[in-house]
Amino acid sequence: MIVTLGVDPGLQICGLAVVSKQANKLSLLEYISFKLPADTAMHKKLEAIYNAIVELIDKHKITNLSIETSFLQHNAQTFLKLGFVRAIALLAAAQKNMVVQDFTPCQIKEILTGTGKATKQQIQDRVKNLFPTATKFVSYDSSDAIAAAVCGCF
């Protein structure tokens, strides 16, 4: 059995999801949008995200990490901060000897919907189709994390 942690990195909201694959059956074990107050110091945000990731890894005996790569869009500061979140997820995976897979947003969209130009709503709709119990999304971050986790199962 493969148990994958999907991470949609973010400092305001970080999407985390755990998906398992046994034979050809996918199961959604847990998903959260980890939201932190905007006024929380950066090092405390990173600590909280790291602790949440390690807790999920231990709770579900996760074997794989599937993380969305960051890309420089408009703001170099945002890109840098997302890199910090990716780094702590990668550190947690390294400490637990996990398999790590990076996926670009386009790759995740392509794998889930068949097109690399899918909208966030289309990704969320596909996730709901795969996992009918996944209905309570606070933001697109958790559905993006589920999508990343699904990609990491293959």
Side-chain angles (χ1 to χ4, degrees):
M1 174 167 51
I2 296 170
V3 183
T4 302
L5 172 63
V7 178
D8 180 44
L11 276 173
Q12 300 303 327
I13 303 173
C14 184
L16 303 172
V18 183
V19 173
S20 68
K21 179 185 174 200
Q22 188 161 17
N24 282 329
K25 184 178 183 325
L26 293 174
S27 300
L28 178 61
L29 305 180
E30 187 171 350
Y31 65 98
I32 58 173
S33 287
F34 195 78
K35 188 171 180 159
L36 297 158
D39 63 349
T40 304
M42 169 80 73
H43 68 286
K44 288 297 184 183
K45 286 182 182 183
L46 294 172
E47 177 186 41
I49 294 168
Y50 175 82
N51 289 339
I53 288 171
V54 170
E55 183 179 316
L56 286 172
I57 291 169
D58 291 341
K59 177 180 178 183
H60 295 288
K61 299 185 180 16
I62 294 171
T63 57
N64 294 29
L65 171 71
S66 177
I67 189 164
E68 186 176 299
T69 60
S70 303
F71 62 96
L72 181 58
Q73 192 169 359
H74 301 295
N75 188 329
Q77 278 297 102
T78 301
F79 178 73
L80 181 64
K81 290 175 184 175
L82 290 177
F84 295 154
V85 178
R86 283 180 44 79
I88 62 164
L90 293 169
L91 172 62
Q95 290 174 334
K96 302 290 184 172
N97 295 315
M98 295 166 55
V99 174
V100 175
Q101 294 175 281
D102 280 298
F103 292 96
T104 67
C106 287
Q107 287 174 313
I108 292 171
K109 292 173 183 181
E110 176 76 28
I111 291 167
L112 265 282
T113 68
T115 176
K117 298 185 187 296
T119 65
K120 289 202 173 273
Q121 186 60 54
Q122 289 171 313
I123 292 292
Q124 193 171 85
D125 291 344
R126 180 66 178 128
V127 163
K128 287 178 182 177
N129 180 265
L130 285 171
F131 307 108
T133 59
T135 57
K136 296 181 182 175
F137 294 113
V138 175
S139 68
Y140 289 118
D141 302 279
S142 53
S143 54
D144 287 353
I146 295 169
V150 167
C151 292
C153 286
F154 295 97

